[in-house]
Amino acid sequence: MLPRKFWLPLFAVAMLAVPLLPVPEFWITQLNYIGLYSIVSLGLVLLTGVAGLTSFGQAAFVGVGAYTSAYLSVSLGVSPWIALFVGLGLAVLVALVLGALTLRMSGHYLPLATICWGLALYYTMSNMEFLGKYDGILGVPALTLFGNSLASGRAIYGLIWVIALASALGVTHLLDSRSGRAIRALKSGSTMAEAMGISTFRYKLTAFVLAAMLASVSGWLFAHFQRTVNPSPFGLPKGIEFLFMAVLGGVGHVWGAFAGAAAVKLVEDELQVLLPKLIGTSGNFEIIVFGLVLILVLKYAPEGLWTFVQRWFPAPQRVKDWQGVAPLPTRDRPKPGELLLDVKAVRKQFGGLLAVNDVSFAIHAGDIMGLIGPNGAGKSTTFNLVSGVLSLTAGEVVFRGRDVAGLPSRAIARLGMSRTFQHVKMIPEMTVLENVALGGYLRTSAGVGKAMLRLDRDEERRLFAEAEAQLARIGMAGQMHELAGNLALGPQRLMEIARALCTDPSLLLLDEPAAGLRLKEKQALAEVLRQLKAEGLSILLVEHDMDFVMGLVDHIVVMEFGTKLIAGTPAEVQASPVVRAAYLGTEH
Amino acid sequence: MDFTIASILALDGVTNGAVYALLALATVLLFAVTRVIFIPQGEFVAFGALTLATLQLGQVPGTVWFLLVLAGLAALAEAGEGLKAKHPPARVAKAVVSALAYPVAISLLVIWAAPQQWPLLAQAGLTLALVTPFGGLIYRLAYQSLADASVLVLLIVSVGVHFALTGLGLYFFGAEGYRNPSFWDERFNLGPLTLSGQTLIVFAVSIALIVMLWLFFERTLWGKALRATAVNRLGARLMGISSTSAGRLSFTMAAFIGALSGLLIGPTTTVFYDSGFLIGLKGFVAAVFAGLASYPLALVGALGVGLLESFGSFWASSFKEVIVFSAILPVLLWRSLRDPHTEEH
Amino acid sequence: MQARTHGFLKLALVATLAALAGTSARADITIGISLPLTGPASGLGIPVANYIKLWPTSIAGEKLNVIVLDDATDPTKGVNNARRFVTEDKADIVMGSAATPVAIAMAPVMAEAKTVQFSFSPAVVSAGTDGWMFRLPQGNAVMAYAMIEHMKKQGVKTVGFLGYTDAYGESWLKDFQDQASLLNGPKVIATERFARADTSVTAQALKLVSANPDAMLIVASGSGAAMPHKAVIERGYKGKIYQTHAAATRDLMRIGGKDVEGAFVVSGPAVIPEQLAADHPSKAVAQDFVNKYEKAYGAGNRNQFAGHGYDAVIVLEKVIPVALKAGKPGTPEFRAAIRTAAENMGRTVVSHGVLNYTKTNHWGFTTETGLVLKVVNGDWKIEQ
């Protein structure tokens, strides 16, 4: 097997060479359609497979691109190349508006919204006088490139596949970049991403707009390939079919889009001829097969067709090319003993339940503080209040002199507070190194454009160097190329700590870091934490394991039923009868 | 627009809205218990109307063969799973027989009864008896093994089921449209309005069904079992409530409601094999208005959709779909701001 | 597991190549036909497909290889079908579609492939681009002419229009208004639209009835024509109601019931040969069509569109022998000769009247072909 990096250029050359060979015209037509559909499905891979947002309305965006160009070039005589950009702009605008409205919605509301606006757009296009209503626009001119007409199938084939392959390359580059990691973090929920400083809404919108742009380009090509546009290919059934292509091909893989588009187009054509012979009457029976295949794929092969092919192209390990790069800029450290975090009478009420009742404590720079208490005491809730994941009902939180109550968690992360989670939140399909690099999001700045054009390599190298350094700090550098999902629980927790460290925090919040670790691992972790403290990092940790806590921390706060019981040194807390009563009960 | 026209439009809107309300209720019911967003709900409507139309012509409706095919597949699935799990043959046989028993019985009855042209109400009963089992069978074949999948996966499966049902509907019913006779031909005058008997029946049935659903969920043990499954699947199972049975029951109820809606709209409009989809979607819009959770809100939402459609087609008939479907966006926005954002994994 | 996926991949590869290769069976004369067998215009496409099943298996000694594909009333599918006929099946003649927008969309593909397209719908394409398209049905203008003349005789001065929001509805409205202004006919004073899938047209009917025109013109097809008719009656309209030729089928009576009694439907002569005058040129031919169709599909099932399927055979039987002299099937000469033969066909009697294509006129029918029928007791009766 050739190394993976040769396969894409080989494939590209093969595909682009096809029209030069004496293949039947029918093949060219089929491949043209497959190319067009692949571009749209690629957008769905990004939107649904990677970002986790289901959209049934991509066909409507294809319509936007197609109709814009058709209308402009037929009625106003505008050059199709200019119309391409107008169409893109229009699609971006519509996507921004629809995205702003619908992307704040949770889970299943978004696909319902996409069904509805897909239908609304379809009926709008079908009823506009100037767009030719249901009959559409005829006589759309062919494209011309440097004086050559792209009217024939073979001619436009080159353009379609160049764009398709370039889009695939762009999306692949995007996924392996700072923005790509942010988008990949969206699928597992927004809490972790926000805590790393990522604006999940912004990236959802980005994925949505990119998918809309890809669909619009496909529509532009479609209009000048078919040379007639009418509303029916932009309706809901087509939108569903695009999603079907992506799911069948493998919605999490860039090349799954191509596999799915090819499979669906070829099977559809065969069925159109075959089914009437089998069934005895003519009619559109292919959708029965599609429906059944969709159900079967989701039941038995939810990762799609591409996973079968991918086994032949195992991903190579990342090449370590970041020796000797300049380190990322670091934050200025607080002076030892400076008041770092001042929690003043914070309160959280969930309806009638008072989870956190006027809890106050303070952490000074260079301290390790432990927050302990029986189960249900409100420790994690307090954590979430401090780090901005939950909103305060009352009280104040002052971090490094700034009032952070009410700020979203990503703003607090930006100020230098970082955290881990009670249940490990990570991205199992990324490697350990990439997961840790996600923590460095706030310290880097390359955007989507730079990522797709591969102009961010410098920054990426610096980021990976930093991530490796953090992994080395906690002793996991040897596992950096392992897939995060393959790790056991203990190393996963350590990886989370490395990720938090990658944000260059002044205060580290650890939520039960030792849970699930074995004795040796706990000792190693305690060593790491002591080393971090020696380097000037302040830590606040929630824990249940008394041995672990008592030997490690400088101060302890004990909570019970949402209230602060006692605060003091480990010795004081161990001796306190109130604490013993809280844990073990009193004598009656 | 004067008062007469407005009242006629309002009546039309509310009548359609009543049918959408039934569909919205079925949608909310299904989502609450099984977390399936059941897009093909409208197909049951079309099947109900078309089955009755075919019976009216004295022919055996294609629904019969469709049902037998599904029952056969379900029996095969039961057999396959039973054998794979190495169940005792008696148990496997029992499962196969119970999958086949009712569908075969009702199919034989309909084949015998169809040419005899029974009276309208009797044929309506046959239609309901014939279409209702589809729900349970579809659940068994498409959703049962995916019971713990995410809402999005279930939604995509629903889309697959919709495609399959539409295509099979074309095969079994043909491409032409049908219209059913009205159940009650009388006309009543109420001021400027003319209420047809059919309209009154639509209202009566809708209200009756809503009341029955309410009683079912509040007062019967099975209804409470369904609600328990909706709230916490695992907890309900620990209490001995089979989530498979709950799923099957709720799908059967949804099919019943769908078929009933088909009987109600059959007389007022021409139904084609693919008419169900848009009707179902409008019921959807109403269900979303209810947050896929609240029955009273679903009713309000459905009446709203009916009225919006009615007045919309008066003012701008070609844009009425745009109006109805765009109206969902502000509703969704309001919904999403109201509901706490939960992490869905 | 490795072996299994290996085998599966091989199979997939072979299947892919086979699929790309397509299934091109070679026979003598290949005719590709695209029809709306599903979708809003299925009521037009299915009868044509039904008659095609009754076609002869060979003409002039050459076997006919007929391929019928469904375009679902979708112009994009129609274009795909056309491309497929031309590139994969190497069709000598293409026919279709019975849905106007689809036929229009297919025209450029056929012109580019220099293959004749016999359209089953009155497709209006821009001037100069219908060089390869011949229409088998009467144009809407021809039918509108007959309808307007009838309206004038009935003293109709104002018309309310309730029609499909698609090409059929739009083109009827335009043709009707054009013809009316040419003939000093009635004015359209109110226009409302609806779609086949609508569950109710009460609002539209309300608006139209309150405008109180002398007559209503309903433009819909097949089973879809009954609902608007009933809605208008339900709103208490007492004036005359006219339907177009796409509604000239049994479905109108089947679904419309009592409500469509007295409706005027414009149609070609193919559906009522019994009532045609003895000297009407199409009487014998139309009778033959009705006999053949009703023998296969049941008495009373005759309709407008199946008649076009019948007429297509007459035209083919005239042009194919001529074209065979110029070239063998499957060659560009043969395809070009089909066009020349059609243009020089001369007066040809078909079930719908007299067709006469010329080099400049690919429509063929004159204004005499339209007849106005009245629905009386659930059956058709010619209006004199």
Side-chain angles (χ1 to χ4, degrees):
Chain A
M1 271 288 130
L2 284 173
R4 198 189 212 193
K5 65 175 184 190
F6 288 124
W7 277 103
L8 177 54
L10 264 180
F11 179 66
V13 167
M15 292 308 293
L16 291 173
V18 166
L20 303 171
L21 301 169
V23 298
E25 191 66 35
F26 188 60
W27 286 34
I28 302 288
T29 313
Q30 293 289 71
L31 287 169
N32 275 339
Y33 278 113
I34 292 175
L36 288 172
Y37 294 159
S38 301
I39 298 175
V40 185
S41 296
L42 198 54
L44 273 174
V45 162
L46 183 62
L47 188 61
T48 304
V50 179
L53 307 164
T54 313
S55 166
F56 291 109
Q58 290 307 101
F61 283 121
V62 177
V64 168
Y67 264 105
T68 310
S69 191
Y71 175 69
L72 286 178
S73 50
V74 170
S75 309
L76 298 179
V78 176
S79 155
W81 293 95
I82 299 181
L84 166 64
F85 291 98
V86 176
L88 273 174
L90 200 54
V92 168
L93 193 61
V94 174
L96 282 173
V97 169
L98 289 171
L101 277 178
T102 55
L103 287 174
R104 294 187 194 276
M105 300 178 195
S106 61
H108 49 268
Y109 282 129
L110 178 63
L112 292 177
T114 62
I115 291 179
C116 286
W117 57 249
L119 279 170
L121 271 175
Y122 168 75
Y123 283 111
T124 309
M125 288 189 286
S126 312
N127 286 297
M128 288 281 157
E129 192 69 53
F130 71 98
L131 293 178
K133 292 204 177 179
Y134 277 99
D135 303 327
I137 301 178
L138 301 161
V140 180
L143 293 170
T144 52
L145 187 61
F146 306 126
N148 297 319
S149 166
L150 297 181
S152 77
R154 280 173 202 264
I156 201 171
Y157 176 99
L159 185 62
I160 291 178
W161 276 93
V162 163
I163 292 182
L165 293 167
S167 312
L169 203 59
V171 172
T172 312
H173 288 161
L174 175 65
L175 290 177
D176 181 27
S177 73
R178 169 186 182 253
S179 312
R181 285 188 291 273
I183 296 178
R184 288 164 84 173
L186 291 174
K187 203 172 186 182
S188 45
S190 58
T191 312
M192 183 270 282
E194 292 275 331
M196 295 298 122
I198 296 167
S199 165
T200 50
F201 176 67
R202 187 173 137 214
Y203 279 99
K204 281 184 185 172
L205 200 56
T206 307
F208 193 63
V209 168
L210 282 173
M213 286 172 77
L214 282 168
S216 175
V217 170
S218 179
W220 174 74
L221 286 168
F222 178 79
H224 293 284
F225 169 55
Q226 284 256 118
R227 272 174 277 128
T228 150
V229 265
N230 67 286
S232 30
F234 311 128
L236 190 59
K238 201 68 182 183
I240 295 176
E241 203 177 315
F242 284 130
L243 185 61
F244 174 48
M245 286 179 204
V247 169
L248 178 64
V251 78
H253 308 278
V254 165
W255 297 104
F258 290 82
V264 169
K265 183 78 181 85
L266 295 175
V267 170
E268 188 178 42
D269 261 3
E270 282 310 297
L271 288 179
Q272 204 184 13
V273 183
L274 202 62
L275 278 181
K277 288 194 194 133
L278 276 179
I279 295 178
T281 61
S282 301
N284 271 327
F285 297 113
E286 306 89 59
I287 59 171
I288 303 177
V289 175
F290 283 158
L292 295 175
V293 170
L294 187 55
I295 299 172
L296 289 171
V297 165
L298 282 169
K299 272 173 106 136
Y300 300 113
E303 296 295 307
L305 289 176
W306 185 253
T307 37
F308 295 115
V309 179
Q310 202 183 32
R311 285 184 212 156
W312 290 38
F313 307 103
Q317 224 180 49
R318 186 180 294 276
V319 169
K320 185 171 157 174
D321 58 352
W322 51 81
Q323 282 91 339
V325 293
L328 289 174
T330 53
R331 211 185 290 281
D332 55 336
R333 301 237 160 262
K335 290 192 287 299
E338 177 190 320
L339 179 62
L340 198 55
L341 178 70
D342 194 1
V343 177
K344 297 183 191 168
V346 293
R347 194 187 183 99
K348 180 64 184 174
Q349 212 152 340
F350 292 109
L353 170 66
L354 188 56
V356 177
N357 187 3
D358 293 340
V359 169
S360 306
F361 56 88
I363 302 180
H364 298 267
D367 275 354
I368 303 186
M369 173 171 281
L371 185 57
I372 66 174
N375 272 327
K379 310 185 292 292
S380 284
T381 315
T382 309
F383 246 41
N384 287 339
L385 289 175
V386 167
S387 60
V389 173
L390 281 178
S391 56
L392 291 162
T393 312
E396 262 183 59
V397 178
V398 180
F399 179 61
R400 295 195 74 177
R402 286 197 50 172
D403 183 7
V404 297
L407 286 184
S409 53
R410 60 178 184 272
I412 300 181
R414 195 175 278 277
L415 292 173
M417 194 193 299
S418 189
R419 65 169 292 177
T420 65
F421 297 90
Q422 193 173 8
H423 305 286
V424 173
K425 294 185 197 293
M426 46 128 200
I427 304 168
E429 305 92 36
M430 300 203 319
T431 61
V432 170
L433 186 66
E434 288 165 349
N435 267 284
V436 174
L438 188 61
Y441 175 83
L442 283 172
R443 299 168 72 185
T444 47
S445 61
V448 168
K450 269 193 176 165
M452 291 176 105
L453 295 172
R454 253 337 195 212
L455 295 174
D456 60 345
R457 291 293 91 196
D458 249 353
E459 200 182 61
E460 286 283 290
R461 280 200 285 271
R462 294 171 77 186
L463 179 54
F464 283 131
E466 174 75 17
E468 189 186 359
Q470 299 299 352
L471 280 169
R473 222 166 154 189
I474 54 164
M476 273 183 71
Q479 290 168 298
M480 67 176 173
H481 295 301
E482 188 68 57
L483 279 182
N486 290 344
L487 292 178
L489 181 59
Q492 279 181 357
R493 290 193 171 281
L494 287 174
M495 182 186 74
E496 269 210 321
I497 297 177
R499 180 180 68 200
L501 289 176
C502 199
T503 67
D504 191 31
S506 319
L507 175 64
L508 187 58
L509 270 52
L510 299 177
D511 200 343
E512 301 198 25
L517 295 188
R518 298 176 302 218
L519 179 61
K520 283 273 186 257
E521 289 172 332
K522 284 191 199 182
Q523 288 172 341
L525 176 62
E527 243 336 286
V528 168
L529 295 180
R530 267 184 224 116
Q531 178 61 27
L532 290 175
K533 173 191 156 133
E535 291 171 13
L537 187 59
S538 318
I539 302 175
L540 170 63
L541 68 105
V542 165
E543 244 316 318
H544 281 293
D545 184 340
M546 288 304 132
D547 272 340
F548 182 76
V549 169
M550 297 301 173
L552 185 59
V553 304
D554 303 317
H555 305 280
I556 297 187
V557 169
V558 184
M559 283 178 71
E560 191 203 14
F561 294 132
T563 326
K564 183 171 98 174
L565 266 191
I566 182 178
T569 64
E572 287 169 6
V573 166
Q574 274 174 318
S576 159
V578 188
V579 174
R580 205 179 313 139
Y583 271 99
L584 300 175
T586 49
E587 294 174 27
H588 293 281
Chain B
M1 153 155 4
D2 60 22
F3 180 69
T4 321
I5 296 186
S7 48
I8 296 176
L9 287 178
L11 179 63
D12 188 51
V14 168
T15 314
N16 284 334
V19 176
Y20 296 150
L22 292 181
L23 295 175
L25 290 176
T27 310
V28 173
L29 165 66
L30 275 181
F31 183 73
V33 179
T34 60
R35 286 177 311 117
V36 173
I37 299 180
F38 196 58
I39 301 224
Q41 180 69 30
E43 256 74 73
F44 291 140
V45 176
F47 288 177
L50 292 173
T51 305
L52 181 61
T54 328
L55 283 175
Q56 280 279 297
L57 291 174
Q59 294 162 4
V60 177
T63 332
V64 167
W65 314 116
F66 200 170
L67 182 63
L68 288 173
V69 165
L70 284 181
L73 286 174
L76 274 175
E78 289 289 342
E81 276 170 26
L83 290 172
K84 205 162 95 173
K86 298 205 184 6
H87 287 156
R91 186 167 153 190
V92 175
K94 185 158 160 259
V96 168
V97 167
S98 64
L100 286 174
Y102 177 76
V104 170
I106 189 72
S107 303
L108 288 173
L109 176 63
V110 171
I111 295 176
W112 171 73
Q116 296 180 22
Q117 296 265 35
W118 284 0
L120 185 59
L121 273 180
Q123 285 183 332
L126 274 182
T127 306
L128 287 174
L130 198 54
V131 178
T132 305
F134 273 80
L137 287 171
I138 290 175
Y139 176 76
R140 172 75 191 78
L141 289 171
Y143 294 99
Q144 191 166 299
S145 61
L146 288 171
D148 293 317
S150 73
V151 173
L152 295 178
V153 169
L154 291 172
L155 175 58
I156 301 179
V157 170
S158 294
V159 168
V161 171
H162 159 67
F163 271 167
L165 287 180
T166 309
L168 288 166
L170 168 62
Y171 179 65
F172 286 111
F173 293 112
E176 273 311 301
Y178 294 86
R179 200 177 174 118
N180 293 330
S182 184
F183 283 104
W184 194 11
D185 271 324
E186 283 296 320
R187 298 190 106 78
F188 304 97
N189 282 314
L190 194 70
L193 295 174
T194 318
L195 286 170
S196 70
Q198 184 67 23
T199 314
L200 287 176
I201 292 184
V202 171
F203 287 143
V205 169
S206 304
I207 294 175
L209 198 66
I210 291 172
V211 170
M212 285 202 315
L213 275 177
W214 181 79
L215 284 174
F216 175 73
F217 282 114
E218 290 291 319
R219 299 290 157 88
T220 68
L221 199 56
W222 259 114
K224 294 185 186 172
L226 284 189
R227 283 168 66 193
T229 313
V231 171
N232 188 330
R233 199 174 187 77
L234 188 56
R237 284 177 70 187
L238 288 173
M239 290 301 112
I241 299 171
S242 156
S243 52
T244 317
S245 303
R248 213 174 293 163
L249 177 59
S250 46
F251 266 81
T252 308
M253 286 170 69
F256 176 77
I257 296 175
L260 191 59
S261 311
L263 294 178
L264 291 176
I265 59 155
T268 54
T269 168
T270 315
V271 178
F272 296 79
Y273 76 99
D274 59 355
S275 311
F277 183 52
L278 269 187
I279 300 175
L281 269 186
K282 289 176 190 159
F284 240 95
V285 173
V288 170
F289 180 74
L292 290 173
S294 155
Y295 295 107
L297 271 185
L299 179 59
V300 169
L303 293 175
V305 169
L307 287 169
L308 198 57
E309 196 182 25
S310 185
F311 281 90
S313 29
F314 188 81
W315 278 313
S317 49
S318 32
F319 288 100
K320 73 167 196 290
E321 254 87 11
V322 180
I323 296 174
V324 170
F325 289 115
S326 310
I328 201 184
L329 287 176
V331 169
L332 281 175
L333 184 61
W334 164 67
R335 265 281 143 212
S336 73
L337 292 174
R338 243 184 70 141
D339 291 340
H341 180 104
T342 48
E343 297 258 316
E344 291 226 24
H345 289 268
Chain C
M1 193 59 206
Q2 266 307 86
R4 208 176 346 144
T5 48
H6 198 105
F8 167 75
L9 270 177
K10 261 204 205 151
L11 185 63
L13 197 62
V14 168
T16 311
L17 284 173
L20 272 181
T23 51
S24 47
R26 302 310 223 110
D28 294 40
I29 300 183
T30 308
I31 305 184
I33 310 185
S34 174
L35 286 172
L37 300 171
T38 54
S42 58
L44 289 73
I46 293 179
V48 179
N50 283 348
Y51 197 86
I52 290 176
K53 292 200 185 113
L54 304 176
W55 272 10
T57 47
S58 66
I59 291 183
E62 299 283 354
K63 203 161 113 39
L64 290 180
N65 174 27
V66 177
I67 308 167
V68 177
L69 287 180
D70 181 13
D71 58 41
T73 324
D74 177 356
T76 310
K77 284 209 171 80
V79 169
N80 282 351
N81 289 349
R83 283 229 173 85
R84 190 206 189 95
F85 291 145
V86 165
T87 59
E88 197 193 352
D89 302 310
K90 309 272 189 290
D92 300 302
I93 302 172
V94 166
M95 298 195 163
S97 162
T100 314
V102 183
I104 296 176
M106 286 167 72
V109 178
M110 302 317 306
E112 205 185 310
K114 299 203 178 14
T115 309
V116 168
Q117 174 188 2
F118 286 106
S119 167
F120 286 115
S121 60
V124 179
V125 292
S126 38
T129 56
D130 66 348
W132 289 86
M133 182 196 275
F134 296 84
R135 290 94 175 158
L136 283 166
Q138 307 86 334
N140 287 341
V142 161
M143 296 308 225
Y145 176 93
M147 188 189 280
I148 291 172
E149 287 296 312
H150 188 270
M151 283 177 169
K152 276 163 65 177
K153 270 194 231 144
Q154 300 276 324
V156 169
K157 295 272 188 303
T158 55
V159 166
F161 176 94
L162 178 56
Y164 275 167
T165 56
D166 66 3
Y168 187 62
E170 287 307 309
S171 64
W172 248 99
L173 179 62
K174 184 166 173 317
D175 285 332
F176 185 85
Q177 284 171 321
D178 287 347
Q179 287 291 309
S181 61
L182 274 175
L183 300 168
N184 243 344
K187 262 180 71 68
V188 176
I189 57 168
T191 352
E192 290 296 318
R193 303 282 200 285
F194 69 103
R196 189 198 70 148
D198 286 351
T199 50
S200 129
V201 287
T202 311
Q204 292 94 321
L206 250 185
K207 233 176 162 180
L208 283 170
V209 171
S210 57
N212 205 16
D214 295 331
M216 289 282 188
L217 171 58
I218 297 182
V219 178
S221 62
S223 338
M227 180 177 74
H229 198 124
K230 285 173 81 97
V232 164
I233 296 274
E234 202 161 323
R235 295 267 67 89
Y237 183 71
K238 298 280 184 284
K240 305 173 191 12
I241 305 184
Y242 287 79
Q243 292 259 13
T244 65
H245 51 301
T249 85
R250 277 272 150 231
D251 285 336
L252 181 65
M253 281 83 104
R254 171 171 68 86
I255 301 186
K258 292 195 301 304
D259 287 334
V260 297
E261 281 293 311
F264 296 115
V265 182
V266 71
S267 166
V271 294
I272 22 79
E274 298 89 357
Q275 299 178 36
L276 290 172
D279 60 353
H280 194 290
S282 298
K283 193 172 167 75
V285 179
Q287 191 67 57
D288 183 44
F289 153 66
V290 167
N291 291 345
K292 286 204 171 93
Y293 193 77
E294 295 198 334
K295 182 154 160 248
Y297 294 103
N301 273 330
R302 64 185 77 178
N303 62 65
Q304 173 90 357
F305 312 100
H308 299 313
Y310 178 90
D311 294 348
V313 176
I314 298 185
V315 172
L316 285 176
E317 284 177 344
K318 247 199 157 171
V319 300
I320 286 180
V322 175
L324 277 172
K325 294 203 200 105
K328 290 195 67 52
T331 60
E333 296 81 31
F334 181 70
R335 298 197 280 272
I338 294 271
R339 174 165 79 150
T340 327
E343 286 171 346
N344 295 325
M345 199 169 71
R347 275 180 69 88
T348 310
V349 175
V350 296
S351 68
H352 271 294
V354 177
L355 259 184
N356 192 354
Y357 298 129
T358 67
K359 202 157 159 58
T360 48
N361 176 11
H362 285 191
W363 285 91
F365 281 116
T366 61
T367 53
E368 297 125 24
T369 64
L371 296 167
V372 175
L373 309 174
K374 188 170 177 184
V375 178
V376 175
N377 288 331
D379 209 341
W380 308 110
K381 199 161 152 42
I382 286 191
E383 283 270 297
Q384 299 309 336

